Amino acid sequence: MSSREIQPETRLPAAPVSDPAARAGGVLTVDLDAVAWNYRRLREELNGVACAAVVKANAYGLGVDRVAPVLARAGADSFFVATIDEALALRPILDAAGFPGAAIHALNGPLPGTEADLLAFGVTPVLNTLEEVDRWAALARSRGRALSAALQLDTGMSRLGLPDEEIAALAEAPERLRGIDPALILTHLACADTPAHPENAMQLARLRAALERLPGAPVSLANSSGIFLGRAYHFDLARPGVALYGVNPTPGQPSPMRPVVRLRGRVLQVRQIDAHRGVGYGAAFRAAGLTRVATVAAGYADGYTRHLSNAGRVAFKGQLLPVIGRVSMDSVTVDVTALGRDAIGAGDFVDLIGDGHDVDAVAAEAGTIGYEVLTSLGARYHRIYRGDDG
Ligand SMILES: *Cc1c(COP(=O)(O)O)cnc(C)c1O
């Protein structure tokens, strides 16, 4: 092809005409029916206790605009996000889906200067400090009406929520809550994915002791894994996130959840190399013998973490194949020698996640957790949403 033939038209087209899936290096499929199934499965485990949905970080990377309406239709009427911007973005999504009354909680608290937006968008702030309690109560008094808020207690995680001394101070001076309609008291488990960990029972005891001293309100403790710690951990409202998206909330045991994500990467090129040839940056892999190498179009810029260098595996028609060499920004190299000659070529897809090699398996290979694999999923993948036609 001569260079003259690939000059752009003098007038640019309004949009590309090729199929976006044909242009993408990776295709990410999100199974919305599986998200709804997982929500119902958690409800079953909760046996009548209410179940919120945590959709922070763009629904753990899967697309909050698609995922939140599915969860609302499955029965969730209470949502949690981390930041104020996430809360403000969620309100019109739920409105448009026909759920204007759903509760939206912003876990990171009400930052100064954001009050008008929180009120206008009907966001329930999670108050994490006495300063935030005082500020929200003062706002309520200045508006001349009760304002709802959730109160987070620190029962052992030392991350967010009123620490012991602030719980005590509030118990001594409950009038500081005047003007606040306490919609929820919550705390978060540090070790819920390890049922035998003594910290679980300690946090439960600290929560119970704090509740004795505070005004009555519905109580929320369990995240995904916490739901599987049993009835004592359920209280009035559970707050699962990651299990909705197919990550196993019971590590070491068979997953009760359905996989939600499939990520396929396109093979760009296959080559055969001789013994001793290096593969990738740093020549961090050297072929021991004749080796066939497939280059797949996803790299660390797509969230396919560099920690998978010489450690990850991909699946092709149910067969696992090792990642060799370092993960590059835009590609990763895979040893496909075990496949028959010509069994794989340019244009074929391998499963980076899926086909029996799930998010948890990829996370283990990368030395991280399913949460991080999902929330790192990049923006360059072509995304396909399956199921739930709304
Ligand atoms: C993220 C988060 C959750 C959800 O946790 P999962 O482990 O994803 O179920 C619940 N509560 C709080 C406070 C959180 O930060």
Side-chain angles (χ1 to χ4, degrees):
M1 196 188 287
S2 79
S3 63
R4 191 172 52 81
E5 284 173 293
I6 58 165
Q7 291 302 311
E9 303 289 331
T10 45
R11 278 181 54 215
L12 285 173
V17 293
S18 53
D19 182 348
R23 303 195 297 270
V27 177
L28 178 70
T29 310
V30 178
D31 184 345
L32 295 172
D33 286 342
V35 173
W37 191 93
N38 287 337
Y39 179 77
R40 291 191 298 267
R41 174 67 186 81
L42 296 174
R43 284 272 288 258
E44 191 181 294
E45 195 71 25
L46 286 163
N47 196 24
V49 168
C51 189
V54 181
V55 296
K56 60 194 180 188
N58 196 28
Y60 290 51
L62 302 190
V64 69
D65 54 329
R66 302 302 300 267
V67 165
V70 169
L71 289 163
R73 284 191 281 277
D77 61 4
S78 179
F79 292 82
F80 286 82
V81 293
T83 71
I84 294 164
D85 273 325
E86 288 174 349
L88 301 183
L90 180 56
R91 179 58 74 198
I93 293 170
L94 290 172
D95 270 2
F99 300 93
I104 299 176
H105 305 84
L107 288 163
N108 282 3
L111 297 176
T114 66
E115 292 84 359
D117 285 334
L118 294 172
L119 293 178
F121 285 72
V123 177
T124 307
V126 174
L127 307 177
N128 290 312
T129 65
L130 264 188
E131 187 276 327
E132 290 178 356
V133 169
D134 291 341
R135 186 149 44 81
W136 199 246
L139 179 70
R141 289 192 291 269
S142 79
R143 300 278 169 131
R145 63 182 175 102
L147 297 181
S148 101
L151 196 61
Q152 182 160 216
L153 312 179
D154 172 19
T155 55
M157 192 155 172
S158 311
R159 185 180 70 172
L160 280 175
L162 275 66
D164 291 342
E165 59 278 15
E166 293 197 348
I167 295 171
L170 192 57
E172 297 293 307
E175 70 278 4
R176 288 173 86 161
L177 284 168
R178 199 152 33 83
I180 294 178
D181 170 18
L184 194 67
I185 293 178
L186 68 135
T187 189
H188 193 49
L189 291 163
C191 305
D193 60 355
T194 312
H197 202 294
E199 191 70 26
N200 292 319
M202 272 158 54
Q203 287 195 260
L204 184 58
R206 288 195 198 106
L207 172 60
R208 289 205 171 117
L211 292 175
E212 296 276 309
R213 312 175 64 189
L214 293 173
V219 176
S220 177
L221 170 62
N223 65 335
S224 297
S225 293
I227 291 171
F228 293 88
L229 293 178
R231 217 167 168 68
Y233 289 81
H234 292 171
F235 289 89
D236 303 305
L237 179 73
R239 306 184 313 273
V242 84
L244 297 170
Y245 312 118
V247 170
N248 185 1
T250 58
Q253 295 184 65
S255 181
M257 314 321 298
R258 277 201 189 160
V260 169
V261 168
R262 181 175 187 194
L263 175 61
R264 294 179 304 146
R266 183 191 301 276
V267 174
L268 296 173
Q269 195 176 357
V270 179
R271 78 191 68 246
Q272 180 161 290
I273 58 173
D274 294 325
H276 312 304
R277 277 294 275 263
V279 175
Y281 285 116
F285 179 90
R286 277 194 191 279
L290 268 188
T291 301
R292 275 197 302 285
V293 183
T295 303
V296 177
Y300 61 77
D302 302 295
Y304 196 78
T305 171
R306 214 162 154 274
H307 296 290
L308 291 164
S309 301
N310 279 322
R313 292 185 300 172
V314 310
F316 183 70
K317 295 181 179 164
Q319 187 167 346
L320 288 175
L321 303 163
V323 167
I324 54 175
R326 288 188 191 152
V327 176
S328 293
M329 183 185 290
D330 314 301
S331 63
V332 57
T333 35
V334 176
D335 183 347
V336 296
T337 315
L339 301 174
R341 192 170 243 302
D342 301 325
I344 191 167
D348 285 335
F349 282 86
V350 298
D351 277 273
L352 301 172
I353 303 172
D355 193 14
H357 187 55
D358 62 14
V359 177
D360 294 296
V362 175
E365 288 161 2
T368 182
I369 51 178
Y371 299 73
E372 192 174 30
V373 172
L374 291 183
T375 56
S376 301
L377 288 168
R380 295 193 292 190
Y381 299 131
H382 176 63
R383 291 184 176 224
I384 298 174
Y385 290 88
R386 281 254 155 78
D388 188 272
D389 46 22

